[in-house]
Amino acid sequence: MLHENICEKGFLDEQFVQLEELQDDDPNFVEEIATLFYRDSSRLISNIEQALEKSPLDFSKLDNYMHQLKGSTTSIGARRVKNECTQFTDYCNAGNGEGCKRTFQQLKKEHSTLKKKLEAYFQLARQIGPVETACRPK
Amino acid sequence: MMSSSSSGSGKKFSVLVVDDDPVIQRIHRVFLDRFGFETQVVGNGKEAVDLFCSGASFHLVLMDWDMPIMDGPKATRELRRMGVRSMIVGMTSRDRDSEKQEFVRAGSDDCCSKPLTSNTVTSLLQQLHTKYH
């Protein structure tokens, strides 16, 4: 149920709240940001996936892609995805390829889960209007 | 209550957002418009340099670090070499102090973490009012 409050579950942080607060005059603003995020992040995830298939791994390239992805996740407030990005970066810096691959699988799961939750949220928001947001305290 | 970006004579402060991330571009445009800035957005450092070369001017430049074609520090150095005196603020990741140091060496006036917050923009406005009055 949407009213489970996806912020309390840790999927989104206070950055998402800031985005909702900017939405006053443009009811589609947050959904637009989410669409941009998923378009950009999907591209980066695809790049990372291809890079992880190469041998030997280019940790510098992986780190660069992940830095970009982390920037996007920070912008939208995707906390859980961002945490996986941080973990991945740590493994990159340590030259731990297996750790990178393991974390990447978890990252993709979090990315996909958040997408489903946001899609449900925006669908409901379109139906009922801007009455309740995902992260405002009750 | 958000401070106005008006420079006191009725003229708005202008800002150039230099960032290749479409999410940041959109968020910062809306944020800055809400604070009353006249906002323009470009996708990399070379576009920013070309804009200044064409005669455009801005009170403030928000310069991202990592961009294709020309990155933030390089664009900042080039703008300073050209004699641009706009306030240039490097936009860095929260956990990268090395980025801040590089921006300062390149000639930026300040550095902020991405994405912008109300407090950050308020602080920048105060600096702009001091610089341009």
Side-chain angles (χ1 to χ4, degrees), chain A:
Chain A
M1 181 161 182
L2 181 65
H3 294 284
E4 69 181 344
N5 195 327
I6 54 180
C7 288
E8 287 177 0
K9 297 284 187 188
F11 289 100
L12 296 167
D13 62 24
E14 61 274 5
Q15 173 60 20
F16 193 80
V17 176
Q18 290 230 20
L19 296 182
E20 289 184 310
E21 289 174 355
L22 286 175
Q23 188 159 261
D24 290 349
D25 303 324
D26 183 354
N28 298 318
F29 172 65
V30 180
E31 186 170 2
E32 182 190 346
I33 293 298
T35 303
L36 286 171
F37 166 69
Y38 272 96
R39 191 163 64 204
D40 195 49
S41 60
S42 296
R43 173 185 61 83
L44 287 166
I45 284 175
S46 177
N47 289 344
I48 293 168
E49 194 136 43
Q50 287 174 32
L52 282 172
E53 286 169 4
K54 294 197 183 329
S55 181
L57 293 177
D58 184 342
F59 288 107
S60 174
K61 183 182 275 191
L62 285 168
D63 182 58
N64 187 38
Y65 285 141
M66 190 53 69
H67 182 57
Q68 293 177 58
L69 181 59
K70 190 176 177 183
S72 280
T73 62
T74 302
S75 303
I76 196 172
R79 178 188 290 167
R80 285 194 182 182
V81 181
K82 187 174 72 173
N83 289 344
E84 297 303 330
C85 292
T86 301
Q87 182 72 76
F88 186 101
T89 300
D90 288 345
Y91 280 127
C92 246
N93 291 337
N96 185 338
E98 288 309 309
C100 286
K101 289 176 183 175
R102 230 177 14 251
T103 304
F104 184 62
Q105 295 308 314
Q106 189 58 30
L107 187 155
K108 285 198 294 182
K109 278 185 195 163
E110 294 291 352
H111 185 260
S112 174
T113 301
L114 178 61
K115 186 175 184 183
K116 292 189 179 83
K117 289 190 181 293
L118 285 173
E119 282 171 350
Y121 166 60
F122 292 128
Q123 190 169 24
L124 186 63
R126 277 194 292 273
Q127 287 168 12
I128 67 173
V131 174
E132 180 160 339
T133 57
C135 299
R136 285 192 188 146
K138 296 185 194 284

Side-chain angles (χ1 to χ4, degrees), chain B:
Chain B
M1 184 177 171
M2 292 182 182
S3 303
S4 168
S5 83
S6 169
S7 60
S9 61
K11 183 182 172 186
K12 284 185 171 186
F13 284 127
S14 57
V15 58
L16 178 64
V17 174
V18 189
D19 202 304
D20 63 324
D21 182 342
V23 176
I24 285 288
Q25 287 180 355
R26 186 73 179 100
I27 291 173
H28 284 183
R29 181 187 278 283
V30 169
F31 220 113
L32 293 162
D33 284 353
R34 190 66 60 84
F35 273 86
F37 283 90
E38 282 181 357
T39 309
Q40 191 163 344
V41 177
V42 292
N44 62 66
K46 185 174 186 309
E47 289 181 12
V49 169
D50 289 348
L51 205 51
F52 276 93
C53 283
S54 72
S57 67
F58 300 89
H59 295 100
L60 171 66
V61 179
L62 297 178
M63 184 76 77
D64 185 31
W65 167 266
D66 186 22
M67 294 176 284
I69 305 175
M70 187 184 288
D71 64 26
K74 190 168 181 182
T76 301
R77 270 192 295 275
E78 183 60 22
L79 289 174
R80 291 302 190 216
R81 189 195 65 76
M82 288 162 53
V84 170
R85 291 287 167 257
S86 307
M87 185 171 160
I88 300 178
V89 175
M91 302 300 293
T92 63
S93 304
R94 287 196 176 94
D95 55 357
R96 298 248 174 141
D97 284 339
S98 57
E99 293 180 4
K100 291 182 185 174
Q101 290 164 15
E102 184 68 31
F103 261 124
V104 168
R105 279 197 294 269
S108 72
D109 296 284
D110 199 357
C111 287
C112 297
S113 296
K114 292 201 294 186
L116 288 173
T117 63
S118 297
N119 289 342
T120 303
V121 178
T122 301
S123 171
L124 289 175
L125 272 172
Q126 287 169 354
Q127 292 179 60
L128 285 167
H129 279 295
T130 301
K131 182 180 171 74
Y132 290 104
H133 288 99

